[in-house]
Amino acid sequence: MKLQIASRLAVFAVLELAAHPDRQISAAEIADKYGVSTHHLAKVMHTLGRAGLVRSVRGAGGGYQFSGNAKRTTLIDIIQLFERVGDVENASGEPGEDTSAGGALRQILDEIDDITRATLSSVTVSTLLKLIDRRGSAGPSDVGVGATPYS
Amino acid sequence: MASAAFSVFDRGQAAPSDALGKSRDGPVVSQATAPARSAAFHVRRAEDADLAKVIALDMEVTGVAKDAYWADLHERYATRRPGERFFFVAESADKRQILGFVIGEIRAWEFGSEPCGWVFGVSVDPEVREHGVGERLLETISAAFRDAGVGKMRTLISHGNHLLMSFFRSQGMMAGPYLQLERDLP
Ligand SMILES: CC(C)(COP(=O)(O)OP(=O)(O)OC[C@H]1O[C@@H](n2cnc3c(N)ncnc32)[C@H](O)[C@@H]1OP(=O)(O)O)[C@@H](O)C(=O)NCCC(=O)NCCS
């Protein structure tokens, strides 16, 4: 699965701000860290602001602050501001959807969408921050090694 | 147990809002003295006398009464093979209430997997949720698994149960290398 760039930026911005609740961070600083244009990020911040997830603080040393609840805001809350996830409605009207093959294909794709939605809606900002911490201390060799079923 | 249960937390410094202040010092084994937020309960192995309260709590959480299932589970998990089967309860400091429970066991070589700890039931009284009881229960069973020599803990949850999934994820659990499959039998 791949996220649109706006969704990725939004997730990064929220994580950055939520990780430093005591600071105000400028859009330029975040844009710089993730290698994107401030202009692109500004639009993302605007959407996050309207959704109540970030708040901008004016004046000297001004910038953004996270204003959501890190233990309740999930990835899906952020991503859905920018794109539709596992979109069943969007899929209707596709060629062949009323055929039995179309139905069978839909059933399999729905399986995948279900897992995607369940995953994105159960990972909160604070869970992600903990994961970032763990990855930071574990080092890359600890990541992605798992037992192979029926090996 | 409803409204009375909450009083358990009114006494100590334990306020719902100090969530971040609680200890992250790693597994706390049964009976250990807990830090501020969770001072009003302790976790211990389940005993015969707890069964009725566990059944009542499960009934309240799942809406399905299953006395026979519980009696059987209790028989197998609280009384046999204590080195690999674990049934813990969180009990209020005054010992009057069971606030939650966790059940699990070590299973070996199922589905080709190395021995690992399985958690197959965790539940906390709705009146005392979000006070760290669930986390302490999971820490206790993790420590028990670890002490028994396994290095991994697993569980199986419904896609639709976002609360339980958020809880397990907050405790560092991630999707594993297995996928559950099923079919209707003809
Ligand atoms: C899931 C459950 C066990 C959590 O118990 P709890 O005592 O409330 O959990 P804790 O207070 O220890 O919370 C631990 C973490 O879980 C997460 N969590 C708990 N409740 C949450 C909620 N309502 N929304 C999102 N995350 C939540 C949080 O990340 C929390 O961390 P925090 O304390 O830093 O905020 C409890 O809600 C429960 O029993 N739910 C029903 C379970 C069920 O369906 N059982 C039947 C099948 S076995």
Side-chain angles (χ1 to χ4, degrees):
Chain A
M1 165 169 198
K2 204 172 161 178
L3 290 179
Q4 287 176 19
I5 181 77
S7 305
R8 284 177 69 84
L9 290 181
V11 171
F12 291 150
V14 164
L15 289 173
E16 203 61 36
L17 299 175
H20 306 102
D22 46 332
R23 283 183 57 200
Q24 281 124 44
I25 306 178
S26 70
E29 195 177 327
I30 300 170
D32 198 43
K33 175 159 180 183
Y34 293 97
V36 296
S37 79
T38 310
H39 175 72
H40 199 160
L41 190 70
K43 283 199 275 185
V44 167
M45 298 312 286
H46 182 72
T47 306
L48 289 174
R50 264 199 332 232
L53 290 178
V54 305
R55 151 177 75 224
S56 69
V57 186
R58 299 193 187 282
Y64 287 95
Q65 264 183 327
F66 179 61
S67 54
N69 177 346
K71 291 178 185 170
R72 291 294 176 271
T73 306
T74 66
L75 273 176
I76 212 159
D77 298 328
I78 303 170
I79 294 167
Q80 271 181 343
L81 298 170
F82 302 92
E83 63 188 283
R84 308 182 69 150
V85 178
D87 199 344
V88 183
E89 285 134 62
N90 219 18
S92 73
E94 291 203 272
E97 66 169 7
D98 294 332
T99 64
S100 49
L105 183 57
R106 180 79 265 142
Q107 188 177 346
I108 301 299
L109 299 180
D110 283 349
E111 261 188 28
I112 298 169
D113 285 346
D114 272 354
I115 296 175
T116 303
R117 266 194 308 269
T119 303
L120 296 178
S121 35
S122 63
V123 176
T124 62
V125 169
S126 74
T127 293
L128 269 170
L129 290 175
K130 286 190 221 168
L131 179 60
I132 294 169
D133 267 0
R134 277 203 309 275
R135 289 179 63 100
S137 52
S141 63
D142 251 0
V143 178
V145 221
T148 315
Y150 295 107
S151 54
Chain B
M1 46 169 52
S3 58
F6 206 72
S7 63
V8 168
F9 292 95
D10 295 341
R11 263 174 256 138
Q13 319 82 310
S17 54
D18 78 340
L20 286 172
K22 86 184 148 178
S23 161
R24 296 281 180 197
D25 292 341
V28 184
V29 192
S30 349
Q31 312 282 11
T33 332
R37 182 172 108 132
S38 42
F41 68 93
H42 52 265
V43 172
R44 58 165 173 78
R45 290 237 185 204
E47 294 161 6
D48 288 347
D50 302 322
L51 193 60
K53 287 177 185 164
V54 167
I55 292 174
L57 173 57
D58 177 61
M59 167 72 193
E60 193 180 334
V61 172
T62 65
V64 187
K66 21 182 154 47
D67 295 29
Y69 163 79
W70 275 110
D72 179 53
L73 209 62
H74 174 70
E75 214 265 305
R76 288 183 294 132
Y77 287 83
T79 64
R80 285 194 242 155
R81 298 208 246 157
E84 53 198 78
R85 292 181 176 175
F86 305 101
F87 188 171
F88 293 107
V89 292
E91 180 180 58
S92 61
D94 64 8
K95 305 197 172 182
R96 294 226 192 113
Q97 292 155 24
I98 294 299
L99 309 178
F101 61 82
V102 64
I103 305 186
E105 72 178 323
I106 292 172
R107 292 186 195 158
W109 310 117
E110 265 183 349
F111 313 111
S113 158
E114 294 225 0
C116 76
W118 274 92
V119 172
F120 54 82
V122 59
S123 224
V124 171
D125 184 336
E127 294 290 328
V128 299
R129 284 185 190 168
E130 298 183 46
H131 285 78
V133 176
E135 182 167 77
R136 275 284 298 286
L137 285 166
L138 203 70
E139 280 172 357
T140 304
I141 202 164
S142 308
F145 286 146
R146 174 62 82 182
D147 290 348
V150 299
K152 206 176 274 289
M153 172 163 78
R154 298 205 165 108
T155 193
L156 193 65
I157 48 181
S158 145
H159 290 171
N161 196 337
H162 290 177
L163 170 57
L164 203 54
M165 210 183 293
S166 300
F167 166 72
F168 277 122
R169 288 218 176 255
S170 79
Q171 304 303 303
M173 297 195 57
M174 316 276 292
Y178 296 86
L179 194 61
Q180 181 243 328
L181 300 175
E182 66 181 25
R183 76 171 221 203
D184 290 333
L185 294 174

